Amino acid sequence: MVSQYNLSFIGLLESKKDFTDAFLVRKLWPNLDFDFAWVPSIGSSRGLLIIWNSVLLSNITVVSGSCWICLDFMFHSFSIRHILIYASNLASERLSMWSELLPLTNYSGLVFISGDFNEVLCPAERLNCSKFSPSMVAIRDFLNESELMDLPLQGCTFTWHNSYSKSRIDRCFSYLSAVNVWSSSSLSALPRGLSDHVPLLFQSSAKFDWVPKPFRSIDTWWDHSEFSEFVNSSWI
């Protein structure tokens, strides 16, 4: 997925790991230009991991809570704050999280909040649901107070389902200014794999003129007896 869509960063939910290191991340990211941040699981549930391209994103600052990671970075002269969340399935804990996240939305740059919100915005986003619940009202209140907008999703109606239920609980909030900056941007659902959630892809067709990429290598390569011969025979 990272290679196919040329991702600048990726957020993974429900890692179910109480510890994450670079060895694990190297299995997930296809090149050496990466850095990452994570939140441990609670028992055998939850856990967050965010991985980013350390060449494309700069001036990185990371803060986190028990169920969210806030990543501040520069992307092609834009200051961006991305908050990856995994909301609790308990309404009381979600209400506490909205209060916790609200100050983080007060940011001078572009703000995105994405992840599993474990709640829908209206009854139509949940199969066989016909009325608003207090928890739905709470997330809508958060959306209004933060002045964020729910980005329209292309490709599917529901982002999660099991054998008897379907709902759109995975989504992305952003300021309208982000859409104005990237008028060609879109949020789309990718094909579902083994998970009961579909992956979401935010992308823009805008072209950026990146600076030349620096040469990088692993130190142990230089100690290999065949390394010099390999370079001589393959260098173009």
Side-chain angles (χ1 to χ4, degrees):
M1 188 185 298
V2 175
S3 299
Q4 180 179 356
Y5 297 102
N6 193 27
L7 300 184
S8 299
F9 69 90
I10 187 170
L12 303 175
L13 310 178
E14 292 190 271
S15 67
K16 300 184 179 181
K17 291 187 175 295
D18 57 7
F19 179 74
T20 301
D21 59 12
F23 181 78
L24 170 63
V25 176
R26 285 193 188 100
K27 297 180 180 180
L28 306 174
W29 195 262
N31 58 60
L32 297 176
D33 301 319
F34 72 85
D35 204 347
F36 65 98
W38 57 283
V39 169
S41 62
I42 300 176
S44 60
S45 64
R46 303 191 188 182
L48 298 170
L49 172 62
I50 188 167
I51 313 168
W52 61 88
N53 186 312
S54 57
V55 173
L56 300 184
L57 309 188
S58 60
N59 296 345
I60 304 293
T61 302
V62 179
V63 294
S64 61
S66 61
C67 52
W68 54 269
I69 300 176
C70 179
L71 178 69
D72 291 352
F73 58 91
M74 293 294 297
F75 178 78
H76 195 71
S77 78
F78 296 113
S79 297
I80 298 178
R81 169 168 289 177
H82 179 266
I83 307 172
L84 178 70
I85 72 166
Y86 177 62
S88 170
N89 57 6
L90 298 178
S92 59
E93 293 184 2
R94 289 197 299 273
L95 185 61
S96 176
M97 189 186 72
W98 304 142
S99 299
E100 192 174 350
L101 293 180
L102 189 58
L104 294 176
T105 63
N106 185 18
Y107 181 68
S108 58
L110 305 178
V111 175
F112 295 87
I113 303 179
S114 67
D116 182 352
F117 289 75
N118 252 319
E119 186 52 275
V120 297
L121 292 177
C122 65
E125 294 182 343
R126 177 169 289 150
L127 187 66
N128 297 325
C129 181
S130 59
K131 62 181 180 180
F132 281 89
S133 67
S135 184
M136 290 184 207
V137 175
I139 189 174
R140 293 174 71 90
D141 287 345
F142 169 77
L143 198 59
N144 291 331
E145 291 182 47
S146 62
E147 299 183 352
L148 296 170
M149 61 175 290
D150 179 41
L151 297 183
L153 178 63
Q154 303 174 13
C156 72
T157 302
F158 304 113
T159 63
W160 170 87
H161 72 82
N162 57 22
S163 57
Y164 57 88
S165 183
K166 297 179 181 181
S167 61
R168 185 193 168 192
I169 56 177
D170 308 278
R171 57 199 331 127
C172 181
F173 292 161
S174 180
Y175 285 132
L176 179 60
S177 56
V179 180
N180 293 333
V181 168
W182 292 306
S183 58
S184 57
S185 63
S186 64
L187 181 70
S188 56
L190 301 180
R192 188 169 69 95
L194 298 177
S195 173
D196 50 6
H197 296 259
V198 299
L200 300 185
L201 174 67
F202 178 81
Q203 63 180 347
S204 172
S205 60
K207 302 298 182 181
F208 297 100
D209 183 18
W210 303 111
V211 298
K213 184 177 180 180
F215 172 77
R216 299 193 177 206
S217 69
I218 299 176
D219 290 344
T220 54
W221 290 350
W222 299 88
D223 296 328
H224 196 284
S225 59
E226 299 178 2
F227 180 68
S228 296
E229 180 182 348
F230 171 78
V231 172
N232 288 333
S233 62
S234 59
W235 194 275
I236 298 177

